[in-house]
Amino acid sequence: MKKWIIPVLYAAVLALAFSYRHEITDWLESDPPLFLMILLAALLALFPIAPYKVVIAILGYAYGTVWAAAISWFGTTIAAVILYTAVRSLYQESGRRLLGKYSAIHRFTTAVERRPFQSTLLARLLPVIPQMAVNLYAGVASIPFWTYTAASAIGKIPAILLYAWLGSGLADHPVIFAAVAAGLMLLTALFMAAIRWYKGRTT
């Protein structure tokens, strides 16, 4: 029964956010306290109503690069720790059984567990890897709590600074924003194409 806690909680928060979307917008425009913005950032990372990159950019537009990056960093780090802990407590055993069914994934997990800090840091730095997937996978794999937390906190910094900067300069430098955004999309597309090409050669 406890395995249904997280899905039910996700559904409830999504439903509440949709129902009170206008009130939430009005509240954001009233310049709320900093700790409430960090709490909101953590909730939006836990319950991805919108892509978190968009959330960071919006915060950048509203608060500037430094404050937006700080709010986003604290919020997403808190969310990552909460989700890691929840998955590790509720789903680690069943997740390990699932990973053990596939030899390639099992070998990959073994390699990750040999170098947990480097693996987690690299996963955080690569923009093409979904951050939610990193949280879930780390909770299932045998990655120590403080190793995961430190690597995640460090690895999140570059992307958060980038998107906060893009958001802060959106109004004043739309051409730069469009160019950088297009470059990121192109890099992601090339990376995914390279992965498909590599899989095609190895199968």
Side-chain angles (χ1 to χ4, degrees):
M1 182 64 184
K2 64 181 182 179
K3 295 179 181 180
W4 291 97
I5 293 175
I6 293 179
V8 169
L9 189 59
Y10 265 70
V13 171
L14 290 173
L16 285 172
F18 180 79
S19 300
Y20 292 95
R21 61 192 183 280
H22 299 301
E23 289 80 359
I24 292 173
T25 302
D26 294 338
W27 178 73
L28 286 174
E29 293 175 351
S30 67
D31 195 19
L34 182 61
F35 78 92
L36 287 180
M37 291 305 302
I38 293 175
L39 176 60
L40 178 62
L43 289 173
L44 289 173
L46 276 172
F47 308 99
I49 301 169
Y52 204 75
K53 295 178 180 64
V54 175
V55 174
I56 298 171
I58 291 172
L59 289 172
Y61 183 81
Y63 293 99
T65 302
V66 175
W67 281 110
I71 292 169
S72 302
W73 182 82
F74 275 110
T76 189
T77 301
I78 291 169
V81 170
I82 291 173
L83 192 56
Y84 166 91
T85 303
V87 171
R88 195 172 185 85
S89 301
L90 301 175
Y91 300 101
Q92 187 180 33
E93 185 178 343
S94 58
R96 296 290 297 190
R97 287 198 300 267
L98 179 62
L99 295 179
K101 292 181 179 180
Y102 306 95
S103 57
I105 298 178
H106 179 71
R107 289 195 300 271
F108 175 78
T109 302
T110 302
V112 167
E113 291 172 347
R114 289 197 192 102
R115 296 178 176 84
F117 183 87
Q118 297 91 325
S119 300
T120 305
L121 180 64
L122 180 61
R124 293 300 189 191
L125 291 172
L126 291 176
V128 296
I129 299 179
Q131 295 302 293
M132 184 65 73
V134 178
N135 298 333
L136 298 175
Y137 180 81
V140 172
S142 296
I143 297 178
F145 174 82
W146 289 113
T147 300
Y148 164 80
T149 302
S152 294
I154 296 170
K156 287 174 178 290
I157 293 174
I160 288 176
L161 282 173
L162 172 62
Y163 287 104
W165 173 75
L166 288 174
S168 67
L170 177 59
D172 299 328
H173 308 287
V175 175
I176 295 177
F177 176 85
V180 175
L184 289 172
M185 288 188 291
L186 177 61
L187 180 63
T188 301
L190 290 174
F191 186 82
M192 297 305 294
I195 290 177
R196 287 195 294 268
W197 176 81
Y198 178 78
K199 286 183 177 179
R201 287 178 61 88
T202 55
T203 55

